[in-house]
Amino acid sequence: MHIAARSPEALRERSAYYERIAHHHMTPLWEVLGALVPPQPRPPVVPALWRYAELREHVMEAGRLISAEEAERRVLILENPGLRGQSCITQSLYAGLQLILPGEVAPAHRHTQSALRLVLDGEGAYTAVDGERTTMRRGDFIITPAWTWHDHGNPGDQPVVWLDGLDIPLLRFLDAGFAEKSEQQSQQPLRPEGDALARYGSNMLPVDFRQAPSEPTRVFVYPYQRTREALLGIAHDTPDAHFGFKLRYVNPATGASPMPTIGAFSQWLPAGFETQPYRSTDGSVYVCLEGEGEVLVGDQTWRFAENDVFVVPSWQTLRLRAGRSTLLFSYSDRPVQQVLGLWREQRL
Ligand code: 1HN
C-alpha cells in the first residue's frame, strides 16, 4: 500500500509526540517495525577470515606478556568486524585462540557457558573435564559442557594453541551466566585417560545408563584420527553437491549434538571439488584443518590454508572450492535453532 507523504507540519507534530511519550519510556513500533521483523535475516555479522600464518606471532607474543595463570585463560578473541567490542564472532557465538606454554597451567573453574576446543598447533597439553584428562592432539575436538570443572596444563615441551568456541553471547542474551573458581589449581584425576571414550564412545554404553535428551554427552573428546577415518571411509562415494562429505558430531547415546547449544561438523572436500551455493540460518565458524582452497561468502572471496578461521553469517550464500583435498571443521548454534523450530536451509 502506498503511504501518502506527510506535510512538514504533520511530521513536526509526530516528533513532538515521540518526545512526549519518551518521558514515559515508550516508543512507536511503526518507526522500527521493518527492522524488527525483516523479511529475511539481516545479520550485523560480516564475513571475515583470520589467517593463522599472520596471527601466530601475535599469539606467541601474548606468551611473553602474560602468564596463563595471571590471565586465567590466555586467549586472543576473534571479534567479528561487524561487532567490535562485543567479544563475539557471530551474534550467538564466541571464538578465540588460546595459548599454553610448557610448564603452565590454566586453573580449574566452571561456568554455565559451554565450550569447545579445536587443537591447532603443538602437542603435549591436556584438558581435564570433571576429573578426567585428555591429551590434546592436532584436530582433536574436545568439549567442556556447561557447569563442568575444567583446567588445562602443558607438561610438554612445545607451545600449544587451540581454538575455543563458546556460547558466551547466547548466555549473555539470556542472562543465565554463572561461574566459580575451584580451590584446586588442577583437578585431581578421578579416572584414567580414555575412560569416558571407552565407556560411552565405543558404539556401546554402560548397560544401566540412561540419559535425558538435553544432557551433554559423557564423551568429551572426539579424536582427530577417528574423524579422519570416518570421512575418508565415506569418500569413495559420490560427494554431496553442497557439502562434499559432511558429518556432524553427536552425543553417541542420543544422536543429538554433543552439547545442547553448539553443533559441530567436519567435512571432506576432494581435491578440486567445488560446492554448490548453500545458505542456512545458523551463522557458522569454519576452521581448515587440512588442505587449502577458496571460500566465497556473498560476493567476497578468500583463499584459506591450514588453521585459518572464517565466519559465514546467517543466510549468506556459501561456496567452497578445495585446491588440495581439504578437511574443514565448523560449529554453529544450529541445535538451538532446531529445537526452537527456527532453523532453515536453502540449496541453491
Ligand atoms: C574459558 O573458560 C576458557 O576454559 C576459554 O579454556 C575461553 C572465554 C570466556 C569465558 C571462559 C577455557 C573462555 C572461557
Side-chain angles (χ1 to χ4, degrees):
M1 199 182 74
H2 181 73
I3 296 171
R6 293 289 161 180
S7 70
E9 199 208 339
L11 291 175
R12 269 197 303 279
E13 208 182 336
R14 272 188 201 168
S15 296
Y17 168 71
Y18 296 167
E19 277 175 39
R20 287 197 303 279
I21 64 171
H23 292 296
H24 299 278
H25 307 118
M26 293 196 292
T27 195
L29 171 64
W30 57 87
E31 293 289 343
V32 292
L33 183 56
L36 286 183
V37 188
Q40 52 178 271
R42 279 185 206 154
V45 176
V46 298
L49 177 137
W50 289 262
R51 287 198 175 80
Y52 189 71
E54 293 170 10
L55 306 184
R56 190 177 189 279
E57 60 177 307
H58 299 297
V59 173
M60 294 301 159
E61 196 177 352
R64 292 189 286 276
L65 296 173
I66 190 165
S67 69
E69 206 182 328
E70 192 190 345
E72 189 163 344
R73 297 294 186 265
R74 188 200 288 113
V75 181
L76 297 184
I77 303 173
L78 305 184
E79 277 200 334
N80 191 284
L83 300 169
R84 289 310 303 271
Q86 299 181 47
S87 303
C88 48
I89 191 158
T90 70
Q91 294 260 67
S92 60
L93 295 170
Y94 158 107
L97 293 174
Q98 181 159 176
L99 168 69
I100 188 158
L101 294 173
E104 287 189 323
V105 296
H109 69 192
R110 64 176 176 175
H111 37 71
T112 49
Q113 289 81 3
S114 300
L116 67 82
R117 332 274 170 205
L118 187 73
V119 185
L120 296 181
D121 196 1
E123 285 206 357
Y126 67 82
T127 285
V129 181
D130 274 350
E132 186 178 328
R133 285 185 179 183
T134 190
T135 303
M136 302 175 97
R137 299 182 179 88
R138 187 165 183 284
D140 287 355
F141 164 54
I142 298 165
I143 61 169
T144 56
W147 211 238
T148 53
W149 291 108
H150 54 283
D151 57 88
H152 320 299
N154 185 352
D157 57 7
Q158 304 168 15
V160 176
V161 178
W162 63 82
L163 180 92
D164 287 314
L166 288 93
D167 56 6
I168 288 170
L170 181 66
L171 266 79
R172 182 166 58 197
F173 177 76
L174 297 171
D175 277 332
F178 291 86
E180 63 182 350
K181 294 181 188 190
S182 174
E183 324 248 275
Q184 304 169 298
Q185 278 267 104
S186 308
Q187 296 174 71
Q188 215 42 49
L190 302 174
R191 295 175 296 281
E193 176 157 2
D195 186 89
L197 201 55
R199 236 178 254 277
Y200 303 99
S202 307
N203 293 329
M204 303 174 94
L205 290 170
V207 66
D208 57 355
F209 179 69
R210 290 283 175 281
Q211 189 167 48
S214 65
E215 261 187 279
T217 176
R218 304 289 179 96
V219 171
F220 67 98
V221 56
Y222 296 75
Y224 190 47
Q225 193 187 328
R226 290 201 189 179
T227 301
R228 282 195 95 248
E229 273 171 22
L231 289 171
L232 292 175
I234 59 173
H236 61 86
D237 205 349
T238 313
D240 179 278
H242 297 86
F243 307 128
F245 302 95
K246 187 168 184 174
L247 298 173
R248 64 184 177 94
Y249 292 91
V250 297
N251 175 345
T254 63
S257 60
M259 300 183 288
T261 54
I262 310 179
F265 312 84
S266 272
Q267 72 197 105
W268 179 259
L269 303 172
F273 188 76
E274 200 176 315
T275 63
Q276 293 302 303
Y278 173 84
R279 60 183 178 173
S280 61
T281 51
D282 53 326
S284 301
V285 181
Y286 283 80
V287 185
C288 174
L289 283 172
E290 263 179 67
E292 45 83 23
E294 259 174 27
V295 53
L296 180 68
V297 186
D299 51 16
Q300 290 220 53
T301 317
W302 288 284
R303 290 207 63 81
F304 65 79
E306 275 185 13
N307 290 358
D308 290 354
V309 179
F310 57 89
V311 57
V312 182
S314 167
W315 215 237
Q316 294 227 14
T317 304
L318 168 69
R319 298 194 76 172
L320 296 163
R321 185 185 303 126
R324 282 181 288 122
S325 52
T326 291
L327 199 155
L328 296 175
F329 170 88
S330 55
Y331 68 98
S332 78
D333 62 14
R334 186 179 305 182
V336 178
Q337 296 199 26
Q338 284 179 322
V339 81
L340 299 176
L342 299 172
W343 186 71
R344 290 197 196 189
E345 63 175 342
Q346 190 175 30
R347 285 156 223 248
L348 298 154

